[in-house]
Structures are given as C-alpha cells and as structure tokens.
Amino acid sequence: MDTAIDVVLKLVAITVAFVVVLLVVAYTVLAERRILGFIQGRLGPNRVGYGGMLQPFADLLKFILKEDIVPDKSTRFIYFLAPVIATMAALMTMIVYPFGPRTGIPFTSITIPLVIAHFDVGLLYVLGITSVGVYGIALAGWSSNNKYSLMGGLRSSAQMISYELALGLSLIGVIMLAGTLDLAQIVELQSNWRGFHWFIFLQPLGFLIYLIAAIAETNRVPFDLPEAETELVAGFHTEYSAMKFALFFLAEYINMFTVSMLATTLFLGGWNVPFAESIFGRGTFLFGLVSAIGFLLKVIFFLFIYIWLRGTLPRFRFDQLMSFGWKFLLPLALLNIFITATLVYFSYNF
Amino acid sequence: MEPQLSWYLALSAILFTIGVTGVIIKRNVIAMFMCIELMLNAVNLTFVAFASFFQDVTGQLFVFIVMTVAAAEAAVGLGIIIAIFRNRESLDVDEASILKL
Amino acid sequence: MLALLFILFAGLAIGCALAVVAQRNPLYSAISLIGVFISLACLYIMLAAPFIAAVQVIVYAGAIMVLVVFVIMLLNVEQQERGRTRLKFLVPTAVVLAAVLIAEVAFILVTVQEFRVNPTASPSDIGITNSIGSGLFTRYLLPFEITSILLLMAIVGAMTLARRGGLLSPDARLIPGAQTLPLHLVDPSAAPDDLRPVEMESSEEAARLLGVDPRLTRKE
C-alpha cells in the first residue's frame, strides 16, 4: 500500500513538474519576444489575448497544423529520432532539482520532499544527460542531407562538447565546498548566514565561468553562430518543419530553463529565501510555498539575463568561440579549482 | 526473485561473445572498434557485478580505470583510423590488412 | 520486481548489441551502441554503483561515442558493401563458435555452485562517491596517477596523428601567421626529400618560397 501511494505521488509530481516546465518555457518564449522588442525600441506581440498572453497557444496551434515536410534523401529513422533525443535529454534533467524543502500538505499528515528523484549523484546525472543531448543536434545536422545543416550541426555539437568541460570544471569548486554531489544536500548547506552562505558569494569566479559556459551550452547569443539566421540559414534545424521544429525549439528553451535551475540550485541557494525560516518555521506549508516561489523567481531572474544578453551582445565568430572556450575558460576553471582547493584545505586545517 | 550473480555473469558473457563475433565479421574498421568497446563494457559489467555481490569497492575502482583506458584508446584509435582513411580512401579492414598502399 | 527490471535492461542491452553487429550502416551501429551503454548504466544503478553509472554515461555515451559519431560523419562512411573475395565460411563459423562459447559459460555457471563468500546483493553503501574517492586516493593511488599519464599520452598522440603535414597546393589560401616548411624548400642545397620542419618568420616569405601569390597572405 505504501509503495502504491509512493508511485501515485511520484506520478503526480512528474505531471505537475512537466506542466510547470512547459508553461514556463512557453511564456519564456513570449517574454523573450516582448523584452527583445522593448530593448529594440518596438513592441513585441501583443495582439493575441491581453498583452499577448495567449500567443504561446496560438504558436502551438500553428505548429500542430503546419505541413510536415520531410526531405527526400534524408536518413528517415535518424531524421525522426534527432528531435526526440534533444527533447528527451532536455526534459530528463528536470527530476533531480529540489523545488522546495520537505513540506507538509495542509489538512493531512503527509510530508513530501519537493524533489522528484533524490539521487546521491544528482549533479553527475545532470552532466551526463547534458552530454547525451549533443546527439540530437549532431544527428539532426547529419540526417538532413543538407550541407548547411551538416556544418551547423557539427559546429554546434563541437561548441557544446567544448564548453561542457568548462561547465563541469566550474562546478567542481561547488562540489568541494559542499562535499557532496547531492543537489538537495547542496541546497541545505546554503541556508546559513541569512543568505550570505549562497555559493555565489563563496565562488564568484566559478559562477561567472558557469554562466558563460551555460550560455554556450544552450547555443544562445553571444554563442549562437551555428543557428543564427544570417549565418547557416538555420543551422542544424534548417530542414525541420512543424512539430519536429517545435520540438527542437522547445528543447532549446527547456535547456535554458534547466541550466538556470542548476545555476539557482548551486549558486543562488536553491529554495532558500533569506528570512523565511524565522517567519514561517520549517516544515510548514507556507514555508514550502514561499520557498518554491523564491526558487521560481530566481530561475526567472536567470532567464531574464539570457534574454537581456540576447538583445544586447553581438555574436562570436566560430574560431573565436572555440579558442575562448579552450584557451581562456578552461584554464580559468582549473585556476578556480586550484584556488578553491587551497582555501578549503587551509580552512579545514587552521 | 532477485537477480542472482550468475544472471549478471551470463549477460556479460553474452555481450562479450556478441562483441567477439562483431570483431570477426565486420569489415568496416570503425564498426570493429565499436565491437571492441562492447567487449570492454561486458567486462565492466562483470567487475561491477562482483563488486556488488561481494561488497568490495575494488571492482568499481577497476571499472573506473578501464573506462579511462577505453577513452584514451578511443582517441588514439580514431586518430589512426582517420590517418588510414586519408591514405587509402577506404575503411575496409581486409584491404588494409595486407599492409600495401 | 528487480528481476523484471533486470530482464528489461538485459534484453535491451542484448538487443542493441545484436543491432550493433547486424547493422550495415555504421551510424546505426553507433546509435545502437549508445543504447547498450545506457542500458548497462541502468544495470549498474541496480548493482549499487550510481557513480559508475553516471561516469559511464558521461564518458562512454557522452564523449567516446560522440567522437565515433563525429569520425563517421567526417569520413562520410557509407554502407558496407558485400565482400568480393571473402572467405565465405567465416560468418557461419563465427556464429557457431559464439554459440559454443555461450554454451561453455552456461555450463560453468550452472554447475559451479560453491562460493567461499556467500554473494548477496543487499543495498549497500559501497558505490557512493565517498567510498570510490577514498579508495582511489589511498589504496589505488598508483593506478590513478598512471591513468592520468596515460591520458596525457593519448592527448599528445591524438594531436600528433590529426595534424595535417605536407605541402600546400599552389592555389591554397594561406592563413596569416608564420608557416612551417620542409627544409628542402628553404635551403636549396638540401636533398630534395629532406622533410625536416623549419619555421618561417612570416607568411609572405613562406608564400614566396612555395610559389604562391604573397597577396593571399594579407589579412582580410
């Protein structure tokens, strides 16, 4: 009976998380179009619904009803598989992030941890799934039988695997400070000192490296040469139309969301809101609610930074991008590990 | 019924055998390389199964080292494959095995 | 319950492994091999080795196979053609010998029933990162350090193998910067097959020696 309740709770949690992710991503697309519009001195889409609020649904309807064109000479199985891999890899990382502390549901005595799956190697799991996400792009570029797609796909995947290294190495500083790979533990460890124990204050260099590597991982400006419209037509998704393109589009924005959630969990203290514990008390429903809303606000802050950068910065050329990743960011991440290790050693022993 | 140690060992043996068959049958040198990786993974499974059933972490440490060696071998092996391709324009192992340009 | 999961992941692994061997297109073989790696990672999680499972996905499925897929795309490897002068009996022989090997292993597994230590698969703490880390840095430090030197050798080897040597053709575009030329082009008194590398000071000099138009070396 217990396992049945567990399974039902997990299914409910997965459904809720899935719906929340899709809604946030849909409204991120809308927010990006409107905020980019304001940065560029124009209004974004504001006709459909009040201020454009129903625009994502109009877009979804358009994607579903569009004609699905499949190129004749493409390798069909891989052509259909590639967007599936991209979206699956983007969604699968969602399960390890802690959205809130252990809260009790009101009027019952059940306490649920607000995380879908509690691994003790949660951080490695995220890095692994991100590595598998490269395949969606490489296979999409190859299977479209189009030289622009192939170039875009190879460039994009080369960029992703290069910046994965800097991403992983920048997280080692956080792992050294926390002593664990478990994301829920890392969030718990950041709850002292009224918000000043967040790892962004203890690891500023690591945070900057992580942010830059994350923007390169998700193929966003200023690292979006492989899919810029003025460059290789549309890069690896040139030959994709209707729902498969929608899956790639969705995968990119879910990746953005995932990377922002990882940044929030590791550097901004996850669900820790500075004074909430003393006001509400641990384990109550209001504390859980406030923490979850705090988490969401921090993630939205990161998404805003992504959109802001898109409207402001020009893009890197591909060789500049690769040399920046290998010759600057990687040694800087190693320097960060060295400094953090030295300071942790001295703080333990003296 | 819980999975026994012999089940894991049998699975590992089957994967290893499939890998050996692939190395013998395949003509494409990249496909042969992939079957070698399959054999290495079968051995990894044996190590991890023994580590789990005998409660000793040494097996998992050895898997770590095997993975590192496989990564190093992949890098150098694929470099050699590219060099062979540049010289011969074909990836056929039977033609390359007579060592004649 | 665990037995069902084992049968699921084992079936997936064997199916994908058969696909690796049976497919003729090497890209499909590569994708099936990724399937094998991921199902093995799930089996490792069942065997109380979560760290090894995550490292398997990161290293094998996420790095080594990406390298293999890149090489397949770079070399534009097509389907394998039918062999011409092959020893035709090789394929059935391989299958028969494989069946013999599996039969031998099955025999051993069924008849040998005594273990010195009773094997149990109780959930335990042996696979968590802490125990792997402490083992790797205390008792097995030497293999760890040797492995890091091995990786350094692999990096140097891969870079050496992938570097394109040789001369440029007369209508090549030169990238601004110094060039490396073989000795017999720089020093006319050397033997014509003397290929020792000499670094030139500037691209214009290199272009002149190669007989390429020096205007090609100007930065655009």
Side-chain angles (χ1 to χ4, degrees):
Chain A
M1 193 55 201
D2 262 346
T3 48
I5 293 185
D6 257 346
V7 167
V8 166
L9 276 179
K10 284 274 193 281
L11 283 176
V12 167
I14 291 177
T15 316
V16 167
F18 190 64
V19 168
V20 166
V21 163
L22 286 183
L23 278 178
V24 170
V25 162
Y27 281 99
T28 307
V29 177
L30 174 67
E32 172 165 357
R33 291 167 74 179
R34 296 222 63 188
I35 296 177
L36 272 183
F38 286 134
I39 293 178
Q40 294 165 356
R42 55 179 174 91
L43 301 172
N46 59 354
R47 301 266 176 193
V48 188
Y50 177 71
M53 294 301 255
L54 292 180
Q55 179 76 29
F57 300 103
D59 279 338
L60 179 65
L61 206 59
K62 175 189 80 166
F63 276 131
I64 295 178
L65 297 176
K66 246 188 175 175
E67 176 188 0
D68 198 23
I69 305 176
V70 173
D72 195 26
K73 298 267 191 316
S74 62
T75 343
R76 312 254 331 199
F77 176 62
I78 304 183
Y79 184 79
F80 287 119
L81 187 65
V84 170
I85 295 181
T87 316
M88 243 176 33
L91 281 174
M92 270 169 72
T93 48
M94 211 56 64
I95 64 175
V96 285
Y97 295 115
F99 301 111
R102 258 196 118 79
T103 41
I105 306 178
F107 311 123
T108 57
S109 59
I110 311 177
T111 55
I112 47 168
L114 284 178
V115 56
I116 299 177
H118 194 178
F119 295 166
D120 33 283
V121 286
L123 197 52
L124 273 188
Y125 170 79
V126 170
L127 287 177
I129 302 289
T130 319
S131 315
V132 173
V134 172
Y135 286 111
I137 297 180
L139 293 176
W142 168 255
S143 68
S144 306
N145 200 23
N146 175 348
K147 52 182 175 294
Y148 299 120
S149 294
L150 183 63
M151 285 299 302
L154 283 181
R155 278 186 183 179
S156 186
S157 32
Q159 173 190 325
M160 279 178 85
I161 59 178
S162 310
Y163 281 87
E164 248 166 43
L165 281 173
L167 194 89
L169 286 180
S170 68
L171 296 180
I172 292 187
V174 171
I175 299 174
M176 279 197 273
L177 283 178
T180 170
L181 286 169
D182 186 357
L183 287 174
Q185 275 295 95
I186 293 180
V187 170
E188 292 278 345
L189 284 169
Q190 293 179 57
S191 55
N192 308 331
W193 302 359
R194 300 276 187 268
F196 278 98
H197 203 253
W198 292 357
F199 286 147
I200 184 176
F201 300 113
L202 299 179
Q203 283 270 299
L205 184 59
F207 174 67
L208 279 175
I209 298 174
Y210 174 79
L211 200 59
I212 298 175
I215 299 177
E217 267 293 299
T218 48
N219 282 335
R220 294 280 296 180
V221 176
F223 298 101
D224 73 338
L225 191 93
E227 56 179 39
E229 285 91 352
T230 54
E231 296 290 333
L232 291 167
V233 189
F236 61 91
H237 47 73
T238 309
E239 294 281 352
Y240 283 88
S241 55
M243 210 55 209
K244 297 197 261 300
F245 175 72
L247 281 180
F248 272 123
F249 201 60
L250 199 69
E252 176 176 333
Y253 281 89
I254 296 180
N255 260 330
M256 248 169 73
F257 185 58
T258 301
V259 152
S260 307
M261 282 210 288
L262 191 62
T264 311
T265 307
L266 293 176
F267 291 102
L268 283 189
W271 44 257
N272 284 309
V273 178
F275 290 96
E277 190 161 344
S278 41
I279 300 180
F280 296 105
R282 263 195 111 78
T284 60
F285 176 68
L286 276 180
F287 178 59
L289 191 64
V290 165
S291 301
I293 293 180
F295 181 78
L296 201 59
L297 285 177
K298 291 177 200 173
V299 173
I300 291 178
F301 167 67
F302 273 109
L303 291 174
F304 175 69
I305 291 194
Y306 265 103
I307 300 175
W308 189 6
L309 282 177
R310 180 173 180 180
T312 319
L313 292 179
R315 60 176 64 101
F316 275 107
R317 215 173 57 214
F318 191 68
D319 56 324
Q320 290 172 335
L321 199 153
M322 294 298 272
S323 71
F324 181 69
W326 286 99
K327 298 187 198 163
F328 181 70
L329 217 53
L330 192 63
L332 204 60
L334 288 173
L335 182 71
N336 179 39
I337 295 176
F338 181 66
I339 295 177
T340 309
T342 315
L343 290 175
V344 165
Y345 177 74
F346 282 120
S347 80
Y348 274 159
N349 291 356
F350 297 113
Chain B
M1 163 143 190
E2 291 207 356
Q4 305 294 316
L5 177 60
S6 52
W7 297 14
Y8 286 104
L9 296 183
L11 173 64
S12 167
I14 294 176
L15 285 177
F16 188 83
T17 316
I18 296 177
V20 168
T21 317
V23 168
I24 296 179
I25 291 184
K26 290 286 197 177
R27 290 186 74 182
N28 191 340
V29 68
I30 296 185
M32 277 177 69
F33 173 75
M34 289 197 277
C35 295
I36 295 178
E37 293 294 326
L38 187 58
M39 290 197 282
L40 279 172
N41 269 284
V43 171
N44 279 354
L45 180 63
T46 311
F47 273 121
V48 174
F50 274 120
S52 161
F53 280 89
F54 290 110
Q55 302 294 320
D56 188 1
V57 81
T58 312
Q60 297 187 13
L61 289 175
F62 207 76
V63 168
F64 193 78
I65 298 193
V66 168
M67 273 187 208
T68 316
V69 169
E73 164 215 346
V76 176
L78 288 170
I80 293 179
I81 290 176
I82 295 183
I84 291 180
F85 185 78
R86 278 196 200 144
N87 276 325
R88 291 171 189 276
E89 295 290 330
S90 110
L91 279 174
D92 194 324
V93 164
D94 290 341
E95 290 178 21
S97 69
I98 47 180
L99 285 180
K100 193 175 135 139
L101 263 178
Chain C
M1 175 66 181
L2 271 181
L4 274 174
L5 280 179
F6 173 80
I7 293 179
L8 171 69
F9 292 131
L12 209 57
I14 295 181
C16 290
L18 287 173
V20 169
V21 173
Q23 289 281 357
R24 267 176 283 148
N25 191 345
L27 196 58
Y28 290 144
S29 293
I31 296 179
S32 313
L33 195 59
I34 298 171
V36 174
F37 290 156
I38 295 187
S39 36
L40 280 182
C42 302
L43 280 173
Y44 292 164
I45 295 183
M46 278 173 61
L47 282 171
F51 182 76
I52 296 291
V55 169
Q56 158 107 348
V57 172
I58 295 178
V59 169
Y60 267 113
I64 295 181
M65 290 315 291
V66 168
L67 192 57
V68 170
V69 165
F70 269 25
V71 167
I72 293 177
M73 292 183 185
L74 181 71
L75 303 182
N76 203 4
V77 183
E78 295 302 330
Q79 311 251 359
Q80 213 174 299
E81 320 87 35
R82 284 272 158 234
R84 2 139 234 139
T85 54
R86 280 209 87 179
L87 299 165
K88 288 215 179 59
F89 61 88
L90 259 187
V91 171
T93 313
V95 173
V96 164
L97 287 179
V100 167
L101 189 55
I102 292 183
E104 285 180 358
V105 171
F107 176 71
I108 294 181
L109 284 178
V110 163
T111 55
V112 172
Q113 291 292 347
E114 291 192 17
F115 294 102
R116 241 182 327 122
V117 179
N118 205 13
T120 51
S122 57
S124 60
D125 270 350
I126 54 164
I128 59 175
T129 320
N130 201 345
S131 50
I132 292 194
S134 45
L136 206 52
F137 285 104
T138 50
R139 205 173 143 203
Y140 296 97
L141 184 59
L142 184 62
F144 180 69
E145 298 293 338
I146 293 181
T147 311
S148 59
I149 297 185
L150 180 72
L151 282 174
L152 178 67
M153 281 165 29
I155 293 176
V156 171
M159 274 172 38
T160 314
L161 282 170
R163 204 157 33 122
R164 265 186 203 270
L167 300 178
L168 299 173
S169 60
D171 45 356
R173 300 193 65 89
L174 294 174
I175 300 175
Q179 307 291 322
T180 309
L181 290 179
L183 190 58
H184 67 98
L185 280 185
V186 179
D187 184 4
S189 63
D193 48 33
D194 195 343
L195 290 178
R196 277 175 292 175
V198 174
E199 262 211 25
M200 308 307 300
E201 298 297 334
S202 71
S203 311
E204 285 82 33
E205 206 181 333
R208 225 184 11 233
L209 285 169
L210 279 174
V212 177
D213 192 355
R215 281 176 299 168
L216 287 176
T217 63
R218 265 201 325 244
K219 274 205 223 295
E220 289 111 36

